[in-house]
Amino acid sequence: MAFPTISIKTTNYTVTPGLESVVHQKFDALGKFIGEKETAHAEVIFEKIGDHHSGKIFKMDMNLTVGGKVFYTTATEDQMEHAIDEVRDEIKRKLIHDRTREQSIMKRGGQRIKQMLRLR
């Protein structure tokens, strides 16, 4: 499955078509972690903090809604591409954590049912 639709918003920053394609390219690989959920939508917010010319002045926020669950992460870096990478890695970590949590809950439920059937 491909990554869901991505809506991009900006504050004090203009997104070039090249940066937009980088966002889509980097986040398309995360589609396999989403699975076949019925609803998935991503909202990306780019922001330039202050009038500095150096330091961590680029901020990226991302809200990812998958099947009613909301995953949020933010990153502040010196280059927008670095912020994109950091957000992608954090969203990937959260999606994997949620998937393994759901699987372990299902396993525990199955084990309890099996145990109750043995006691009869």
Side-chain angles (χ1 to χ4, degrees):
M1 178 182 170
F3 199 73
T5 58
I6 300 174
S7 63
I8 297 176
K9 298 179 182 180
T10 62
T11 305
N12 299 329
Y13 191 74
T14 56
V15 177
T16 62
L19 185 64
E20 189 172 339
S21 69
V22 167
V23 169
H24 288 288
Q25 179 185 14
K26 295 219 182 222
F27 286 102
D28 275 344
L30 297 181
K32 64 183 177 184
F33 298 110
I34 292 174
E36 296 298 324
K37 302 286 183 172
E38 61 278 357
T39 59
H41 178 74
E43 181 180 304
V44 174
I45 302 169
F46 291 112
E47 183 177 358
K48 183 175 179 187
I49 302 171
D51 294 327
H52 311 18
H53 292 292
S54 63
K56 295 185 176 187
I57 60 172
F58 295 106
K59 181 179 178 184
M60 180 183 170
D61 299 327
M62 183 173 188
N63 287 321
L64 176 64
T65 306
V66 179
K69 294 181 182 178
V70 178
F71 301 96
Y72 172 79
T73 188
T74 185
T76 305
E77 290 293 329
D78 56 348
Q79 292 181 0
M80 192 57 79
E81 289 80 12
H82 292 245
I84 292 169
D85 289 338
E86 189 174 327
V87 166
R88 182 198 57 207
D89 294 342
E90 184 66 20
I91 287 290
K92 178 181 174 182
R93 187 191 66 76
K94 288 181 179 186
L95 287 171
I96 290 172
H97 174 76
D98 184 62
R99 183 174 63 181
T100 56
R101 184 175 176 270
E102 286 178 1
Q103 289 172 349
S104 66
I105 289 172
M106 289 294 288
K107 273 187 177 179
R108 275 188 271 149
Q111 289 169 350
R112 286 188 181 150
I113 290 171
K114 189 173 181 179
Q115 184 179 25
M116 288 190 312
L117 291 173
R118 284 185 190 158
L119 294 177
R120 288 186 142 203

